[in-house]
Structure formats: structure tokens, C-alpha cells
Amino acid sequence: MSERKSYLQLMGEGFRMLKQSKQTDQTVSLRSWTFSIHHDNEWYVVLRSNRLKWVGLPSHTFDIALDSIQIGDLRIIRHPESNEVRLTIDEEWGLENKVVCDNLEWETFVDALKQVKGE
């Protein structure tokens, strides 16, 4: 009986550790923007910058294209001609911000997001 109990305890610990690993946020940055992204059944995003912290609502949307990214209400669009990256959050009040980054920074950022998404 004691062997069975210890086996059940080990299984419980294993499941608890598995659940904790799924809850770990992955962080991706682009200039002054830091995105903490968590995936459970839905995608959760927290944006931090110099002046703000925004917590997004859970969403099933996480789309990555060549010059745009959308995670729920958060949208990032890059204009290749000017290297301007515009962040827009479509909510009740709305929020817009922009940074300028070169091709390498953008590609590194997109690759990191693809890793988070599992592509």
C-alpha cells in the first residue's frame, strides 16, 4: 500500500510541475516594448513599455504575417519603407504607439514570436 501511495504522490508532483511549466510566460521585446505571452486554451498578452502596462483580454487570435502581427486586440504593423513599427490596441479607449527598427531587429522579433506560437 505504501508503494502505491508514493507512486500516486510522484504522479501528483509530475502533474503539478507540468501545469506550472505551462503557466510560464515567455517574454519578447522590441525596442521599448516588452510582451509577456502566455498560452493556455487562449493567448494572454501583457505589454510593458516606458509609460504603460497593458493587460489584454484572453483571445484565440495570434496571427503572424510578413509585416504585421495580431494577438487579440493588439496589432503591430511594420512599414518597410520607413522602418516604422506601429502598435495599435483596439479597445474602448484605443492606444497607439510607434518605434523605428531595422530589418534585423524586426526579423528577430518575428522569429521570437513564431517560437512562442510554436511555428
Side-chain angles (χ1 to χ4, degrees):
M1 191 71 165
S2 64
E3 288 177 4
R4 181 178 178 142
K5 185 176 181 183
S6 64
Y7 175 75
L8 291 175
Q9 286 175 337
L10 288 173
M11 289 296 291
E13 286 178 29
F15 284 123
R16 198 171 25 250
M17 287 172 27
L18 186 63
K19 186 176 181 182
Q20 287 174 344
S21 71
K22 287 183 180 179
Q23 293 176 347
T24 304
D25 291 343
Q26 295 183 346
T27 303
V28 179
S29 295
L30 179 67
R31 294 285 169 136
S32 63
W33 302 333
T34 302
F35 303 90
S36 296
I37 302 170
H38 169 76
H39 181 67
D40 202 346
N41 292 329
E42 297 178 301
W43 293 99
Y44 300 86
V45 178
V46 176
L47 164 67
R48 291 178 182 86
S49 73
N50 297 339
R51 295 184 178 167
L52 85 119
K53 177 181 177 183
W54 174 79
V55 179
L57 295 173
S59 173
H60 290 289
T61 306
F62 191 163
D63 298 323
I64 301 173
L66 185 60
D67 288 325
S68 67
I69 296 160
Q70 179 150 3
I71 309 171
D73 292 329
L74 183 137
R75 188 175 2 181
I76 303 168
I77 298 174
R78 180 171 186 259
H79 302 282
E81 307 83 38
S82 64
N83 286 336
E84 180 181 277
V85 179
R86 185 173 298 270
L87 178 132
T88 309
I89 297 174
D90 297 327
E91 277 191 329
E92 182 180 351
W93 303 107
L95 174 72
E96 240 183 57
N97 200 345
K98 63 183 175 181
V99 295
V100 175
C101 68
D102 62 15
N103 291 338
L104 182 60
E105 278 182 300
W106 176 254
E107 290 168 9
T108 304
F109 176 66
V110 170
D111 288 344
L113 286 176
K114 285 181 179 178
Q115 281 187 333
V116 169
K117 187 177 178 185
E119 287 186 1

